[in-house]
Amino acid sequence: MENLTPRQQEILNFIRSTLEVLGAPPTRLEICSAFGFASPNAAEDHLRALAKKGAIVLEPGSARGIRLVEQLGLPLIGTVAAGSPLLAVENLLGRVPFSPDLFSPRPDYLLKVRGNSMTGAGILDGDLLAVHKTGEAKNGQIVVARLGDEVTVKRLKYKGGRVELIAENPDYAPIIVSRGTVFAIEGVAVGLIRNGSAL
């Protein structure tokens, strides 16, 4: 994002605060009122300048058609253990500005990996795992699996009539899903973001 003028920064802050309070961006008239502009055209000029500098995206045909670029990208949800399963916090921790189109299938969210059980698959502690939300996975895929109230990242293996969750580190034993255990696949791994770069 290019450097903003002090007035552009004030308008951007106003858009942010309106989003927080109302849950929707301001209209051009509300921006005029807040900043004492004579007409909605002045507000429109400032919005176009903010869009040109990469701070917002304007959606034509809508009075409130303003989106903050920082809201785009993938939601970062909780943390997932790549070690022993860790309770996943299902709260939205923020959004990571990133194009989900870089991965296929398209990811729905990111999970921050904790632990070292998947290092053999190149998934390291602190990585952001791009996850495509699905309840089904093929044998051998890396999945986000729920066991009871806990969530973990492992390689899915069907062996006979049972399910195993395999670590990619010899220091970790496989997790064998026993009958009666609450088990669900939350999604499949489709990529990684490490230090802001897609892998």
Side-chain angles (χ1 to χ4, degrees):
M1 185 169 70
E2 292 180 41
N3 289 338
L4 304 181
T5 66
R7 175 55 64 133
Q8 288 167 350
Q9 188 62 56
E10 287 174 7
I11 293 171
L12 185 61
N13 291 343
F14 178 70
I15 294 168
R16 274 194 197 113
S17 64
T18 305
L19 271 165
E20 287 172 13
V21 173
L22 297 181
T27 64
R28 275 66 170 170
L29 285 173
E30 288 166 347
I31 293 170
C32 286
S33 175
F35 292 94
F37 297 148
S39 79
N41 288 342
E44 186 67 29
D45 289 343
H46 282 288
L47 291 174
R48 287 186 189 281
L50 283 169
K52 192 173 180 183
K53 290 186 174 182
I56 63 172
V57 174
L58 294 175
E59 296 174 338
S62 170
R64 296 186 185 273
I66 303 167
R67 285 194 303 168
L68 295 175
V69 167
E70 64 202 42
Q71 286 187 305
L72 305 176
L74 293 172
L76 178 60
I77 300 176
T79 56
V80 169
S84 46
L86 179 78
L87 184 66
V89 181
E90 293 291 338
N91 294 333
L92 181 65
L93 300 180
R95 295 186 83 83
V96 176
F98 189 78
S99 173
D101 296 327
L102 290 175
F103 298 123
S104 181
R106 186 183 168 98
D108 296 294
Y109 57 91
L110 299 170
L111 290 167
K112 188 167 187 177
V113 175
R114 290 182 54 186
N116 296 305
S117 75
M118 296 301 287
T119 54
I123 300 171
L124 308 181
D125 186 57
D127 284 349
L128 301 182
L129 189 70
V131 181
H132 174 68
K133 189 174 180 180
T134 177
E136 298 176 1
K138 295 176 185 169
N139 195 36
Q141 284 187 299
I142 294 174
V143 299
V144 176
R146 179 174 299 280
L147 293 162
D149 291 331
E150 299 179 326
V151 172
T152 188
V153 176
K154 294 287 181 289
R155 191 172 296 282
L156 180 68
K157 186 174 180 184
Y158 295 111
K159 194 171 184 179
R162 71 181 185 192
V163 174
E164 293 184 6
L165 299 171
I166 310 295
E168 293 280 345
N169 181 332
D171 294 340
Y172 294 83
I175 298 171
I176 294 155
V177 181
S178 57
R179 291 186 187 278
T181 303
V182 176
F183 169 76
I185 293 167
E186 297 283 320
V188 295
V190 294
L192 278 177
I193 300 172
R194 181 174 299 148
N195 300 325
S197 300
L199 299 175

